[in-house]
Amino acid sequence: MWHATVDSLDRLPQLDMLVRQGIYRGGQGDMVGTLRGTLGWRNLPGEVDMPNVPVTGTMPEWLSGSLLRTGPSKWDLGRQHLLHWWDGLALLQRFSFAGGTVSYRCRFLDSPGYRTQEATGRISWKSFATDPCAGLMRGEKTDLVEENGNCNINITRIGEVVAAQGEGAMAVTFDPETLQATGWLDQSPADNDIPGHHAVTAHPHRDFDHKIQYNVHTVLGPNPVYQIVSTDITTGTPEILSTVPVESGNPGYRHHFSMTENYVIAVEYPLTTDLATLAAGDRPFVACFRWNPTAATKIFITSRVDGTLHKVLEAKGFFAVHHANAYEVGDMIFMDVAAYDSAEHMTDFYLDRRHHNSPLSLGQLRRYALPLGASNEVTCEVLSSQQVELPTYNYGRHNGKPYRYVYSAGMRQDLPEVAYNQIVKADTRSHVSTTWFQDGCFPGEPVFVPTPGATTEDDGVILCLVLDTTTQTSFLLVLNARDFSEVARAQLDTFIPFGLHGQYLGDHYSSL
Ligand code: CO
């Protein structure tokens, strides 16, 4: 078990110092070992077009649409090096399916930050864990780009506009066919009278019935607040549903949140942003976070109907990056998350740590029971014996509603490696988990696509990009979601570095 300390997130930016001294080169520098799995953090060799990807097995003929993904893909940029997985240059990917065939394309996201880097050879933005000014050779100067647009976390959509999403309110729109960037999508509400920079979660939730998207914004300014912003998903007009002052003055870091039929549930973990450090502007973002191992985790339950803060509950301190589903039964909310006892997950993915096989914190699939009535007692239950991260579910049909199955990446407990090495299907009812594993293979986020006309929750397929370190190539794995048997795989002729999230945009189904 790892140990949490208040300064546990603050010591790692010392890597900046190692870079300045020329000791550590980040990315695929001299310190890279031969551990299998670290290939996923090597630079993408180049952009790829494969009009006909070789398929083994039988690709379902009904699969008609595209899996769009984004994620980090390049960390060594000239003489500069990005230090953390999540800092890497955004790569857009598209797997397109038609009549049992597959095509593939990937492009670096043509953002202002990318363009400036290409033109000058320098990193022009401060990212999650890398401050380019700290790693510069003497005499060099970098003019930081205010909106760098390196949106490497998730895919979102407003109307017919598809965009790559980071943790800022400005997303970058792109053509889902060519993957060429086309402009900005500003997700900040126009009627906001509270000044400050909007940090948003990279995982907006969608209510398909009412055509509304919800997100939780953190306004980082002199008087920080949390805001729930609702957006009409056809017109794209963001409006403030609720505003809650940050009582401590130091906002929590939040990557995801939960939504049920009547509520938005925003969680404030004991990982808070030191606004004074942030305002000083001379440290990467991760150095501005403080983990308090003795603090509670606060759970804000807000009505989706009228924006009133229904109640704030407290649970024994825990951390999560990703939530699975949440739903209401009577006067209870059940909220499922990939939970951790500390925030070490945030620093586990310094490339230096991965290349040296430092322990990887592993998420536990927990269900928090949140009473809506008079009781304030929060209880929690572990739903799977398997470790989970990047959890997904049958989003289109079950988001915010009762459900049974969580799909995720995970780690074999008898074979801990540098990266997730299995795919897990957790049955939250029986607590039985099914897994897919192939020696030397490292999967990313599994995405569920239902069979047309499906009548059961797991009638469909799982799409998952897998890195095969034995052949140094990646393949798209298609599993039968019911029993995790292999349906097909589409074999690329190169490896693709570990990305983050994807969404399926199809003729009969869309997760967006
Ligand atoms: Co995420």
Side-chain angles (χ1 to χ4, degrees), residues 6 9 19 44 50 52 55-56 70 132 173 189 226 283 288 306 327 333 352-353 382 400 405 421 459 508:
V6 172
L9 295 185
V19 169
L44 179 78
M50 290 184 71
N52 289 296
V55 171
T56 54
T70 185
T173 61
Y226 301 135
R283 311 290 297 275
C288 304
D306 58 14
Y327 60 92
I333 286 175
D352 176 50
R353 284 190 155 195
V382 177
Y405 304 111
N421 59 9
D459 182 355
H508 83 278

Side-chain angles (χ1 to χ4, degrees), residues 185-505:
L185 173 68
D186 187 354
Q187 302 173 94
S188 44
D191 53 343
N192 203 351
D193 57 3
I194 297 168
H197 172 76
H198 277 241
V200 306
T201 87
H203 295 272
H205 269 298
R206 302 193 148 235
D207 175 343
F208 294 109
D209 296 337
H210 300 95
K211 300 195 175 354
I212 300 173
Q213 171 183 287
Y214 295 88
N215 206 344
V216 181
H217 293 218
T218 302
V219 185
L220 299 163
N223 298 300
V225 297
Y226 301 135
Q227 288 188 327
I228 294 170
V229 173
S230 64
T231 303
D232 183 314
I233 59 178
T234 50
T235 65
T237 307
E239 291 178 356
I240 300 165
L241 184 64
S242 83
T243 298
V244 177
V246 178
E247 281 180 12
S248 68
N250 292 316
Y253 171 78
R254 181 184 301 107
H255 180 80
H256 206 167
F257 66 102
S258 287
M259 184 183 89
T260 65
E261 292 202 61
N262 295 293
Y263 298 95
V264 168
I265 302 113
V267 181
E268 186 189 75
Y269 309 103
L271 182 70
T272 53
T273 312
D274 181 342
L275 289 182
T277 306
L278 186 68
D282 58 352
R283 311 290 297 275
F285 294 112
V286 70
C288 304
F289 297 138
R290 300 286 179 268
W291 172 254
N292 184 343
T294 59
T297 290
K298 289 186 179 178
I299 300 163
F300 295 73
I301 302 175
T302 301
S303 164
R304 277 171 59 190
V305 180
D306 58 14
T308 55
L309 182 60
H310 180 71
K311 69 194 298 188
V312 181
L313 293 168
E314 291 195 356
K316 182 175 181 295
F318 71 94
F319 180 68
V321 175
H322 291 117
H323 292 215
N325 204 2
Y327 60 92
E328 298 163 33
V329 175
D331 63 353
M332 296 295 292
I333 286 175
F334 297 98
M335 178 180 76
D336 298 349
V337 298
Y340 299 84
D341 291 328
S342 83
E344 290 281 311
H345 181 76
M346 302 285 282
T347 47
D348 281 344
F349 292 106
Y350 271 99
L351 301 180
D352 176 50
R353 284 190 155 195
R354 301 301 353 112
H355 288 309
H356 285 85
N357 201 17
S358 81
L360 186 60
S361 328
L362 296 167
Q364 189 175 50
L365 185 61
R366 290 184 198 159
R367 173 163 293 170
Y368 283 87
L370 314 174
L372 287 164
S375 169
N376 286 323
E377 187 188 0
V378 175
T379 58
C380 113
E381 174 190 17
V382 177
L383 299 175
S384 173
S385 59
Q386 297 292 335
Q387 315 283 0
V388 301
E389 199 26 277
L390 301 166
T392 59
Y393 47 95
N394 182 338
Y395 192 87
R397 185 163 154 174
H398 288 272
N399 188 37
K401 299 168 184 166
Y403 79 129
R404 184 165 176 178
Y405 304 111
V406 177
Y407 310 99
S408 71
M411 186 76 81
R412 272 179 70 137
Q413 285 159 61
D414 59 346
L415 184 62
E417 296 192 78
V418 296
Y420 307 119
N421 59 9
Q422 67 176 355
I423 311 172
V424 179
K425 176 187 183 182
D427 182 336
T428 66
R429 195 175 301 166
S430 70
H431 294 195
V432 172
S433 293
T434 309
T435 59
W436 178 91
F437 166 84
Q438 183 179 317
D439 197 45
C441 288
F442 298 85
E445 175 195 60
V447 173
F448 175 82
V449 181
T451 307
T455 54
T456 55
E457 182 182 335
D458 59 351
D459 182 355
V461 294
I462 294 295
L463 306 179
C464 187
L465 183 57
V466 178
L467 172 69
D468 183 348
T469 56
T470 57
T471 60
Q472 304 213 339
T473 59
S474 296
F475 60 89
L476 186 82
L477 178 66
V478 184
L479 295 178
N480 182 329
R482 186 163 295 164
D483 60 7
F484 263 31
S485 58
E486 181 169 332
V487 175
R489 62 176 73 183
Q491 179 66 54
L492 301 182
D493 56 14
T494 183
F495 77 92
I496 305 296
F498 293 133
L500 288 168
H501 302 290
Q503 301 289 342
Y504 185 80
L505 206 55

